[in-house]
Amino acid sequence: MRGIHLSIKNKLIIYFLISILLPTTIISIIFYTRSSEIITDKINLSIVKNLSSVESILLQKLDSINDFSVLMALNPELQHIISSPQPDNADGIIDEIVKLDRILDSYYLSDFSALTKTALYPKLFVVNRPQYKSVNITDKVFDISVVENQKWYSQLPNQLTIVGIDHITVFGKKIQTMKIAKKLVALRAADMAPYAALLTTDIDANFFVDLLKNYKITPGSSISLLNADGDVLLSSDLSPDGPRSVKDSEVIRKLVKDMHDQAEQSHMDHIDGKPMLISTHYIVPLQWTILSLTPLNEVNIEQKKLNQIMVFVIVICMLFALLTALVLSGNISKPILALVKSMSTIEHGNFDIKLRYRKKDEFGILFEQYKQMMEKIKDLVERLYVSEVSKKEAELQAKDAELKALQAQINPHFLYNALDSINLYAMRYNVPNISDMVSSLSNFFRYGLSKGKSIITLNDEKKHVESYLEIQKMRFGGKLNYTLDFPNDILQCLTVKLILQPLVENSIIHGIQKVEGEGWIRLSVVKQGEKLQISISDNGAGANVEEMHEMLDFESHTSKSFGTRNVNERIKRLFGMKYGVRFYINEDGGLTSVVEIPILWTMEGYHVEDGIS
């Protein structure tokens, strides 16, 4: 399956967006996690402070109620009544009830209620006043027997005690209150201030409900007052019994039981299947627990707002990044596409570069370098074209020269026949020197023609060069000596004709003729792997080997040693570049020319063009 191929423009857009999106996402996650922790910690701290404030206000309220009770207990007229025995007649009983009712009213109507910022409803239950039950003229003064049978009464200590939540009727309206009780002693009695009366004070529960509501941390949270058994006394909820989730939750009951060991607790838990932040605060003097329940979805509401802002910012950043990526990728891809388009025109041979880029940046440098490179390539192509044309012309000249050489050998057909006639006359008139020379010359032309073939055996090439050497020996006499060492097993190998005579001629003209004394030429053939190495060595004047090798180069246009270069070119053209002619300086003077050709018994696989017969 082939992969998806994207343009460089799209790649740049994707890479740019990823480079923005990835760090932004990581930063957002870290920011969200950390900010959630910070917000939760701050809300938890705020809840703890609120619960502490609730405790402080509640205790202050109770202290105020205690002061109120103490003031009432020290009232002289009230002390006189509770310290005196019960009156003997009904008038005395009614008089006491009226006086006590007036005393309670006086405190109720005083500024003390304004001081406590809530309505107080005091009631007095006098010990040993059974006659009070028969008098029904007040709702504030009673005999102690009215409350003696209630459960909370038997557990009352001597100090101010919170009884709990109660309901009373005030002006025909039933209201919920928190009842507080305090035992009063008869300070004027002779028998060590005995227990004489019970003072209860009812406080409107709305004060505490409002207090709890004011310290709610979120609209959906709730704050409740729980007693030592985990029962709800008051709650910020509208329900008189507090939220059902608090009342029936085992999680809350367990927290209440553990509050003696730890004054404050805060943790996450589920109540009624909803995640909640549960915070508790234990009031040691009262053995009550202040419980705060805050839904986590409301705790994180600020975080959600922050997240919405953050998402909005990220979207804006992504849109800006996309716009920037489009502009950037366009600025990068546009010059690249222009460069590619220019290259496509070059493929069709058009080297006229028409690129315009005015910015002084890396692309400007690239375009400038590209233009310079194309100018150089154009120049090289033109030079190569000229070189190829020159090479073709040189090859044509070489073939023309070879053709002329063949024609020069073809033209002697007539001379070759005439030489046979001369040889007959030389033998008839007994002139052996003329006969030998004419025979050698006749053999030279015969093997040179080779019936028009360009490929001959090594044996025919040997006979051809041997005829040439014999003629030259007759010319130079004792100055020229030669030897030929051709093994019989390689004489039938095939080779290009006319490869030895030009090299032997070069040795005679440029080597033997230029030295005094006797000269010699040795021709030998050896096998070297799959090659034949034919060596032509002389003791002549020698030559500069480097110049000789440069002369063999195809690019050389010199007319010097044209025959030798022609031999090298014909060998390489037919057999390959690893074959040809090389030159070496002999240790005892002179030059050695080495011809390397492959060992071939057939020309199958080689393209051979025969010459003119």
Side-chain angles (χ1 to χ4, degrees):
M1 182 177 179
R2 294 183 178 180
I4 299 175
H5 298 285
L6 297 175
S7 65
I8 189 170
K9 181 177 180 180
N10 292 333
K11 287 181 180 178
L12 285 171
I13 293 174
I14 292 173
Y15 294 156
F16 198 81
L17 291 179
I18 290 175
S19 64
I20 294 295
L21 183 60
L22 185 60
T24 303
T25 303
I26 294 173
I27 291 172
S28 299
I29 292 173
I30 295 173
F31 179 77
Y32 174 78
T33 303
R34 184 56 185 156
S35 61
S36 296
E37 292 175 355
I38 293 173
I39 290 174
T40 303
D41 291 341
K42 286 188 175 181
I43 290 179
N44 189 43
L45 181 60
S46 179
I47 291 173
V48 170
K49 289 182 178 180
N50 286 355
L51 298 186
S52 297
S53 297
V54 170
E55 177 191 17
S56 177
I57 294 173
L58 186 61
L59 291 178
Q60 287 177 7
K61 175 65 67 174
L62 294 177
D63 286 341
S64 299
I65 301 301
N66 186 55
D67 293 341
F68 170 76
S69 301
V70 171
L71 286 174
M72 290 187 65
L74 295 178
N75 183 275
E77 191 173 1
L78 185 145
Q79 277 293 328
H80 174 75
I81 294 173
I82 65 174
S83 299
S84 302
Q86 178 177 302
D88 295 333
N89 51 54
D91 292 337
I93 294 297
I94 294 174
D95 183 60
E96 276 190 359
I97 294 175
V98 171
K99 288 180 179 180
L100 291 175
D101 184 74
R102 187 175 61 251
I103 293 170
L104 294 178
D105 274 341
S106 66
Y107 283 97
Y108 174 71
L109 297 174
S110 68
D111 293 336
F112 198 89
S113 294
L115 181 64
T116 58
K117 296 182 181 180
T118 186
L120 301 178
Y121 305 100
K123 291 183 180 181
L124 187 67
F125 300 87
V126 185
V127 178
N128 296 323
R129 293 294 193 272
Q131 299 297 327
Y132 283 9
K133 291 188 289 183
S134 60
V135 180
N136 189 16
I137 60 174
T138 180
D139 59 352
K140 299 182 184 65
V141 181
F142 305 92
D143 179 63
I144 195 64
S145 61
V146 175
V147 295
E148 277 182 331
N149 295 326
Q150 295 192 21
K151 182 180 179 180
W152 56 268
Y153 178 77
S154 61
Q155 299 174 355
L156 284 177
N158 292 327
Q159 67 268 22
L160 184 72
T161 303
I162 299 175
V163 174
I165 302 301
D166 196 4
H167 293 84
I168 64 172
T169 302
V170 179
F171 302 115
K173 182 180 179 181
K174 191 175 183 179
I175 64 172
Q176 186 180 26
T177 64
M178 178 179 288
K179 186 180 293 293
I180 300 173
K182 180 178 178 60
K183 289 181 177 181
L184 303 182
V185 296
L187 298 177
R188 296 182 180 184
D191 52 352
M192 300 294 294
Y195 168 53
L198 176 67
L199 176 66
T200 64
T201 305
D202 287 278
I203 309 170
D204 192 343
N206 286 329
F207 168 80
F208 299 99
V209 173
D210 292 340
L211 173 65
L212 299 179
K213 285 182 179 180
N214 290 336
Y215 284 95
K216 287 170 55 174
I217 198 69
T218 64
S221 62
S222 66
I223 301 178
S224 304
L225 289 176
L226 281 64
N227 61 16
D229 296 326
D231 297 324
V232 178
L233 298 176
L234 288 172
S235 174
S236 61
D237 287 2
L238 296 178
S239 172
D241 296 329
R244 180 178 177 82
S245 58
V246 176
K247 202 172 183 182
D248 299 338
S249 175
E250 291 296 328
V251 175
I252 303 303
R253 292 188 177 278
K254 185 176 184 303
L255 278 176
V256 172
K257 291 179 181 180
D258 295 340
M259 282 308 296
H260 299 283
D261 300 326
Q262 188 172 353
E264 295 177 349
Q265 290 186 15
S266 182
H267 71 285
M268 308 291 184
D269 211 324
H270 285 75
I271 296 179
D272 287 346
K274 298 179 181 179
M276 292 279 184
L277 175 60
I278 304 173
S279 302
T280 56
H281 183 84
Y282 187 61
I283 305 176
V284 178
L286 305 178
Q287 296 184 351
W288 285 359
T289 300
I290 307 175
L291 172 66
S292 172
L293 299 180
T294 307
L296 282 182
N297 61 341
E298 293 188 7
V299 171
N300 297 327
I301 190 167
E302 294 298 327
Q303 180 66 32
K304 289 180 181 179
K305 292 180 181 178
L306 185 61
N307 290 344
Q308 292 174 355
I309 296 173
M310 189 164 57
V311 169
F312 176 76
V313 172
I314 290 175
V315 171
I316 295 297
C317 290
M318 291 302 297
L319 291 176
F320 178 76
L322 179 60
L323 180 62
T324 305
L326 289 173
V327 175
L328 179 62
S329 60
N331 290 337
I332 294 177
S333 61
K334 187 176 180 181
I336 293 177
L337 291 175
L339 195 62
V340 171
K341 184 178 179 180
S342 174
M343 290 180 177
S344 64
T345 61
I346 293 173
E347 290 180 357
H348 299 88
N350 183 12
F351 287 91
D352 294 328
I353 307 300
K354 296 180 180 180
L355 287 176
R356 295 181 180 179
Y357 193 81
R358 299 178 180 178
K359 296 179 181 179
K360 302 297 181 180
D361 55 12
E362 287 78 0
F363 280 113
I365 298 173
L366 177 63
F367 277 35
E368 189 64 29
Q369 294 294 325
Y370 173 72
K371 289 180 181 178
Q372 294 178 7
M373 182 181 70
M374 287 299 103
E375 290 293 332
K376 291 182 180 179
I377 292 177
K378 182 180 179 181
D379 181 62
L380 289 173
V381 169
E382 291 176 352
R383 289 172 59 186
L384 180 63
Y385 175 76
V386 173
S387 175
E388 286 294 325
V389 171
S390 301
K391 183 178 179 181
K392 292 290 184 182
E393 291 178 353
E395 290 178 354
L396 290 175
Q397 290 176 0
K399 284 189 174 290
D400 187 48
E402 184 177 0
L403 180 61
K404 289 179 180 179
L406 290 174
Q407 288 175 342
Q409 295 175 16
I410 292 171
N411 291 333
H413 263 296
F414 172 76
L415 181 60
Y416 161 56
N417 293 328
L419 287 175
D420 279 342
S421 299
I422 295 172
N423 184 41
L424 290 174
Y425 281 107
M427 293 175 64
R428 180 180 298 176
Y429 292 101
N430 195 20
V431 186
N433 290 337
I434 296 175
S435 177
D436 291 342
M437 182 173 288
V438 170
S439 295
S440 296
L441 187 60
S442 177
N443 288 334
F444 175 78
F445 286 121
R446 181 183 297 111
Y447 291 117
L449 289 172
S450 303
K451 299 180 181 181
K453 297 179 179 179
S454 61
I455 302 298
I456 61 176
T457 64
L458 189 60
N459 188 39
D460 288 342
E461 184 69 12
K462 171 194 170 188
K463 290 179 180 179
H464 179 261
V465 74
E466 190 173 9
S467 298
Y468 175 76
L469 284 169
E470 187 63 28
I471 293 171
Q472 291 296 338
K473 183 171 177 59
M474 291 178 184
R475 175 188 172 190
F476 289 102
K479 184 175 175 62
L480 176 62
N481 297 291
Y482 68 89
T483 59
L484 287 84
D485 182 12
F486 283 64
N488 292 329
D489 61 338
I490 51 91
L491 291 177
Q492 296 305 313
C493 289
L494 301 180
T495 183
V496 183
K497 73 176 181 180
L498 298 176
I499 59 173
L500 298 181
Q501 183 270 331
L503 297 175
V504 171
E505 181 181 2
N506 187 64
S507 294
I508 293 173
I509 296 174
H510 299 288
I512 303 300
Q513 283 187 352
K514 292 184 178 182
V515 295
E516 298 293 335
E518 183 178 349
W520 50 263
I521 296 177
R522 296 190 183 92
L523 281 81
S524 61
V525 183
V526 296
K527 290 182 181 179
Q528 191 70 31
E530 297 180 353
K531 295 180 181 179
L532 285 180
Q533 288 187 343
I534 307 172
S535 301
I536 300 99
S537 301
D538 63 62
N539 65 340
N544 188 321
V545 173
E546 292 183 359
E547 291 182 358
M548 295 288 286
H549 286 154
E550 290 178 1
M551 174 269 298
L552 293 178
D553 189 1
F554 287 153
E555 299 295 329
S556 176
H557 299 290
T558 179
S559 60
K560 184 179 179 181
S561 298
F562 177 79
T564 302
R565 190 167 70 251
N566 180 267
V567 169
N568 184 60
E569 290 179 3
R570 286 189 292 121
I571 291 174
K572 289 183 178 296
R573 190 179 301 121
L574 181 59
F575 297 124
M577 298 302 294
K578 64 179 180 179
Y579 301 103
V581 180
R582 304 299 293 171
F583 301 98
Y584 302 94
I585 297 294
N586 299 329
E587 292 183 358
D588 53 352
L591 186 72
T592 295
S593 304
V594 178
V595 178
E596 290 188 341
I597 59 174
I599 300 176
L600 298 175
W601 306 97
T602 174
M603 293 305 294
E604 183 179 355
Y606 291 90
H607 179 68
V608 180
E609 295 181 357
D610 289 338
I612 300 174
S613 60

